[in-house]
Amino acid sequence: GENVEQHPSTLSVQEGDSAVIKCTYSDSASNYFPWYKQELGKRPQLIIDIRSNVGEKKDQRIAVTLNKTAKHFSLHITETQPEDSAVYFCAAIPGGSYIPTFGRGTSLIVHP
Amino acid sequence: NAGVTQTPKFQVLKTGQSMTLQCAQDMNHNSMYWYRQDPGMGLRLIYYSASEGTTDKGEVPNGYNVSRLNKREFSLRLESAAPSQTSVYFCASSAGQSIWEYFGPGTRLTVT
C-alpha cells in the first residue's frame, strides 16, 4: 500500500517568513495530493490540492509543488501570519482509489 | 447544509463498556470514513464505506465495527472499550475518487 512520509514534524518561523513542508510517497499510481490544515481542537480542513498532471498550484500565499519523478510534493506558505499556526497534513491517493494515506503531520508555529 | 455532523462531542467510558459514535452527512456523498487521531500518528483509517451497503476495513479496524445505515449515516461501534482506544475520532465523507474529503467536528473519547 501507499506510504507517506512528512517532514519536518515541527516547524517554527517568524511572522513574515516562508514555511515549507515536504512529503514523499511510495506508490507511483498516486495521482491526487490534498493538503489539510487543522487548528487546535478543530477538524482538518482541505486548503489546497494538486493532481498529477500539474506541477504547481497556487492560491494566494499558499502553493503546492509536485515532482512525480522523485515522488515528492511540498507545501509552501509565504509571508506567514500567526493565524497560519496549525498542524498541516499531506495525503496521497492512488488513481482509481478514494482512500487517502495521510502523513503524520507538521506542527507549524508562527511567532509574532 | 450542515456538512458532516458527529455525536457525541465528548465521551468518557470505563474499560469494557460499549458505545456507538454517530455520523451523518447531508451532501449526498457516496463514500464515508472513520479515522482516529492520536498525537504524532496523524489520521489513521479505521473503516470506510465506498457506497451505501458496503463497508471495508482500514488500517486499524481491530476492536471496532461499523454500520452504513443509509447513504447519510455511518456509525462506529466499540463493543468492549479499552484504554488503547482513547483518541479523537473523525468521520469524513467524499464524493468519490480524487475528490475532497469533508471532516466532521470529531469525538473526543477517553477510556479509563
Side-chain angles (χ1 to χ4, degrees), chain A residues 58-75:
Chain A
K58 290 183 179 179
D59 183 3
Q60 300 183 329
R61 295 185 298 107
I62 294 174
V64 58
T65 58
L66 171 65
N67 183 327
K68 286 186 62 181
T69 303
K71 295 201 196 110
H72 67 72
F73 56 112
S74 301
L75 179 71

Side-chain angles (χ1 to χ4, degrees), chain A residues 31-32 36 38 42-44 46 49 51 89 96-100 102-104, chain B residues 4 33 35 37 40 42-43 45 48 50 90 96-98 100-101 103-105:
Chain A
N31 64 1
Y32 177 60
Y36 295 84
Q38 186 179 27
K42 298 193 175 180
R43 75 189 79 187
L46 183 76
D49 57 10
R51 299 182 191 275
F89 292 98
S97 171
Y98 38 81
I99 307 299
F102 287 90
R104 292 196 173 189
Chain B
V4 181
Y33 315 78
Y35 291 93
Q37 184 175 35
L43 291 155
L45 185 65
Y48 63 97
F90 286 101
Q97 295 178 3
S98 301
W100 301 25
E101 269 192 20
F103 287 87

Side-chain angles (χ1 to χ4, degrees), chain B residues 40-103:
Chain B
M41 298 298 291
L43 291 155
R44 292 185 293 170
L45 185 65
I46 305 171
Y47 270 93
Y48 63 97
S49 171
S51 60
E52 185 179 355
T54 68
T55 61
D56 286 288
K57 295 178 180 179
E59 179 186 357
V60 289
N62 291 345
Y64 306 95
N65 284 300
V66 291
S67 295
R68 183 76 182 265
L69 304 170
N70 48 55
K71 191 170 186 178
R72 291 187 62 250
E73 299 173 289
F74 189 37
S75 63
L76 178 72
R77 182 160 178 84
L78 287 70
E79 290 291 352
S80 179
S84 60
Q85 294 177 305
T86 293
S87 188
V88 180
Y89 291 85
F90 286 101
C91 177
S93 72
S94 74
Q97 295 178 3
S98 301
I99 305 295
W100 301 25
E101 269 192 20
Y102 295 86
F103 287 87

Side-chain angles (χ1 to χ4, degrees), chain A residues 13-83:
Chain A
V13 302
Q14 290 295 127
E15 183 177 359
D17 288 349
S18 295
V20 180
I21 302 170
K22 299 180 180 180
C23 289
T24 60
Y25 61 99
S26 61
D27 189 346
S28 57
S30 287
N31 64 1
Y32 177 60
F33 307 91
W35 285 88
Y36 295 84
K37 175 184 181 181
Q38 186 179 27
E39 297 176 351
L40 188 63
K42 298 193 175 180
R43 75 189 79 187
Q45 291 191 298
L46 183 76
I47 54 172
I48 194 167
D49 57 10
I50 190 167
R51 299 182 191 275
S52 60
N53 58 348
V54 175
E56 184 176 5
K57 184 176 179 180
K58 290 183 179 179
D59 183 3
Q60 300 183 329
R61 295 185 298 107
I62 294 174
V64 58
T65 58
L66 171 65
N67 183 327
K68 286 186 62 181
T69 303
K71 295 201 196 110
H72 67 72
F73 56 112
S74 301
L75 179 71
H76 304 254
I77 306 174
T78 59
E79 300 173 16
T80 54
Q81 301 168 3
E83 53 264 38

